[in-house]
Amino acid sequence: MTPDWTNALGLEARFEVARGTFVLDVAIRAEPSETVVLVGPNGAGKSTVLRVLAGLERVDRGSVLMGGDTLDGGIGGLFVPAEHRRFGVLPQGLALFPHLTALENVAYGPRSRWPGTRDPREEALDALVRVGLDADIAGRKPGALSGGQAQRVALARALAGAPRALLLDEPLSAVDASTRSALVPELSSWLAAFPGPRILVTHDASDALRFADRIVALEGGRVVQTGTRDELARAPRSRYVADLLGLNVFEGEANGSTVSVGSAALTVAGEADGPVTVTVHPRAVALFRARPEGSPRNALELEVATVEPGASRVRVALTGALDLVAEVTPRAVEDLGLVPGQHVWAAVKATEIRVEPL
């Protein structure tokens, strides 16, 4: 049965939360049918953002809004408790009730938080079916479920009762590699079918790039950058963001149109002086068997360290005067016969090198 979704509304927040010496100062928004992925190193404040949005913590200053209506107006202001926000929440570690069956776990939210006209158990069974679980699984308790089944039950619980928004904290962290492979495309489908805003926290770069319509990067309690993958890749504002996107990032010393990075000297398109950050997209690195001639490129003879096949491109890690990662086609790997230990020439056009002052 198709869920009776409420009209989809956007979720927007601008707030501060102080915890001892740590201050979380965040501005975030998610539109209907948009998946926003929060990324950042441990301790950046990602899970706290979800707890604030869910109504499990109050903001010290600022506000949380849903469709323009205030859910949290700060200390002394309007506050809508978690049980009345009608959000689907998946916490870290799943947090299934061990004494309840899968069906009862999923029905718990609709029954306790937003009683409706439908039987909560009927809603729960519909949600379980949507995540690929049958009636036999519905009668089992969490201790009798596999990791993948438990993850699906937790996701079904978040989806049950037609929530207005989804808040998912590390939704794939509690499963093994084989189960994860099966769940990734399913989670993509579930997110795509949900009409409200979706906010997802992950530490996994591949998940962030796969699921996100927009990425919000947090570091030290602050938003350092937000945008699509392409927008972040064009101008990463921190080393963490560059590493997340798999970019080559170096620190060097600029002198006009030359940047010294270790023992390597790179020719760049513009001019700068002093300490700089150099960013090179892996797809801008071309590989050759012999030194390329007749082209205004930076060329370095390097050694192949690893060759890692991907869905459509192959990442080749190179070591030498400059440690680089190149992304090439499978055909290029075959033509060049790339294997670890092989020496190749890596070339990058000056115009493909981004230089920013430190």
Side-chain angles (χ1 to χ4, degrees), residues 101-103 128 132-141 144-145 149 153:
T101 65
L103 183 67
L128 287 170
L133 297 176
D134 56 27
D136 177 59
I137 299 298
R140 298 183 190 178
K141 293 183 178 180
L145 301 176
Q149 290 167 340
V153 171

Side-chain angles (χ1 to χ4, degrees), residues 11-72:
L11 181 61
E12 183 176 0
R14 175 69 175 90
F15 62 85
E16 290 185 17
V17 173
R19 296 293 178 267
T21 59
F22 178 79
V23 177
L24 180 64
D25 185 354
V26 169
I28 186 171
R29 62 181 175 82
E31 303 297 340
S33 299
E34 180 184 35
T35 299
V36 173
V37 175
L38 297 181
V39 298
N42 290 338
K46 305 184 296 297
S47 294
T48 302
V49 170
L50 285 198
R51 289 181 58 81
V52 167
L53 296 178
L56 301 174
E57 295 192 29
R58 291 211 62 173
V59 305
D60 295 328
R61 285 179 292 278
S63 62
V64 178
L65 307 175
M66 183 79 178
D69 294 331
T70 300
L71 301 179
D72 189 345

Side-chain angles (χ1 to χ4, degrees), residues 13-348:
R14 175 69 175 90
F15 62 85
E16 290 185 17
V17 173
R19 296 293 178 267
T21 59
F22 178 79
V23 177
L24 180 64
D25 185 354
V26 169
I28 186 171
R29 62 181 175 82
E31 303 297 340
S33 299
E34 180 184 35
T35 299
V36 173
V37 175
L38 297 181
V39 298
N42 290 338
K46 305 184 296 297
S47 294
T48 302
V49 170
L50 285 198
R51 289 181 58 81
V52 167
L53 296 178
L56 301 174
E57 295 192 29
R58 291 211 62 173
V59 305
D60 295 328
R61 285 179 292 278
S63 62
V64 178
L65 307 175
M66 183 79 178
D69 294 331
T70 300
L71 301 179
D72 189 345
I75 301 300
L78 178 66
F79 178 72
V80 177
E83 60 269 24
H84 297 307
R85 294 195 182 189
R86 197 166 179 169
F87 288 178
V89 180
L90 191 157
Q92 284 192 49
L94 307 186
L96 296 176
F97 296 115
H99 62 291
L100 299 181
T101 65
L103 183 67
E104 292 165 340
N105 263 282
V106 178
Y108 181 86
R111 176 182 290 116
S112 62
R113 296 178 185 172
W114 46 81
T117 57
R118 293 186 63 197
D119 180 352
R121 291 172 63 86
E122 184 182 352
E123 290 189 1
L125 186 57
D126 284 348
L128 287 170
V129 170
R130 290 204 307 276
V131 299
L133 297 176
D134 56 27
D136 177 59
I137 299 298
R140 298 183 190 178
K141 293 183 178 180
L145 301 176
S146 68
Q149 290 167 340
Q151 193 79 25
R152 285 181 171 88
V153 171
L155 286 166
R157 183 179 58 188
L159 291 167
R164 299 194 299 168
L166 289 180
L167 307 176
L168 310 179
D169 197 351
E170 301 283 5
L172 298 176
S173 63
V175 296
D176 57 32
S178 60
T179 302
R180 177 188 176 84
S181 297
L183 279 174
V184 164
E186 294 179 16
L187 180 57
S188 294
S189 297
W190 299 328
L191 291 173
F194 183 75
R198 295 92 61 151
I199 299 183
L200 184 152
V201 164
T202 184
H203 70 280
D204 188 282
S206 61
D207 286 347
L209 302 179
R210 180 181 293 108
F211 298 131
D213 294 313
R214 194 156 45 85
I215 297 171
V216 175
L218 294 178
E219 294 185 48
R222 302 289 190 275
V223 175
V224 296
Q225 193 165 8
T226 182
T228 65
R229 174 181 180 169
D230 290 343
E231 288 170 343
L232 268 60
R234 281 196 294 270
R237 295 179 186 169
S238 75
R239 181 60 181 265
Y240 174 84
V241 172
D243 288 344
L244 174 80
L245 298 172
L247 304 177
N248 296 291
V249 181
F250 313 99
E251 292 184 3
E253 190 74 18
N255 183 9
S257 61
T258 300
V259 178
S260 298
V261 181
S263 61
L266 302 176
T267 299
V268 298
E271 294 196 356
D273 287 292
V276 294
T277 297
V278 175
T279 305
V280 179
H281 197 290
R283 295 193 181 188
V285 182
L287 302 181
F288 303 87
R289 288 179 178 171
R291 184 185 183 98
E293 298 179 358
S295 178
R297 306 187 187 203
N298 295 284
L300 298 166
E301 186 176 14
L302 304 174
E303 180 179 326
V304 176
T306 61
V307 179
E308 300 178 5
S312 60
R313 308 279 292 188
V314 179
R315 286 179 65 86
V316 182
L318 307 159
T319 63
L322 193 66
D323 290 345
L324 277 175
V325 174
E327 284 189 9
V328 298
T329 64
R331 179 62 182 272
V333 173
E334 181 180 350
D335 291 345
L336 294 170
L338 295 179
V339 293
Q342 177 183 356
H343 282 253
V344 295
W345 283 87
V348 183

